[in-house]
Amino acid sequence: MNLLKPDETLRNGYKDPKHLARVGNLGCSLCFFLGVKQTSRTAVHHYHGGGMGKKASDLRVMSLCDLHHQKGEFAFHHIGRVAFEEKFGIDQEGLIEITNKMLEDKNNANI
């Protein structure tokens, strides 16, 4: 893997609507991490902080409930990335890993 030129699927703007739909059908990765019951619908959150104002690849997403995404007091879009990661003790990379593990588990259950 060339670190100077990441895989095309991880570059800015890569679209994968099927992946987004699958992630949107999962539970909240942060609720799962915290061990709490999810009380609102799931939204797909794209990774923030990639720089240059470009949208992240559709493969760099995590499942977040509305409460943790946009509507809660400590929602990502209310308090920002740094405060969010400090408040909950996990960064976006960790939530993406949890989301991908949840997808893998769901796929294995459907086999």
Side-chain angles (χ1 to χ4, degrees):
M1 178 169 120
N2 182 347
L3 296 177
L4 297 177
K5 189 171 185 180
D7 185 275
E8 181 179 318
T9 60
L10 298 178
R11 293 186 200 162
N12 290 330
Y14 178 79
K15 304 289 183 211
D16 190 340
K18 290 180 182 177
H19 182 70
L20 294 181
R22 288 189 299 269
V23 170
N25 286 321
L26 295 173
C28 175
S29 57
L30 183 56
C31 286
F32 178 84
F33 173 75
L34 297 173
V36 299
K37 181 177 165 80
Q38 181 174 336
T39 59
S40 59
R41 72 179 183 88
T42 300
V44 176
H45 174 75
H46 283 85
Y47 179 87
H48 276 236
M52 306 278 292
K54 295 181 180 178
K55 184 178 177 185
S57 162
D58 281 352
L59 298 181
R60 300 216 355 113
V61 296
M62 62 212 80
S63 57
L64 291 177
C65 63
D66 281 339
L67 183 69
H68 291 128
H69 187 230
Q70 291 185 332
K71 296 184 178 174
E73 178 182 359
F74 298 108
F76 186 97
H77 289 288
H78 283 235
I79 64 175
R81 180 184 58 82
V82 173
F84 181 86
E85 291 175 352
E86 288 175 359
K87 166 80 177 152
F88 295 110
I90 189 167
D91 62 10
Q92 292 179 96
E93 293 294 339
L95 291 172
I96 290 170
E97 286 180 29
I98 291 171
T99 298
N100 290 337
K101 177 73 170 117
M102 291 167 72
L103 276 174
E104 182 182 311
D105 290 350
K106 186 174 183 178
N107 289 337
N108 289 339
N110 291 333
I111 294 177

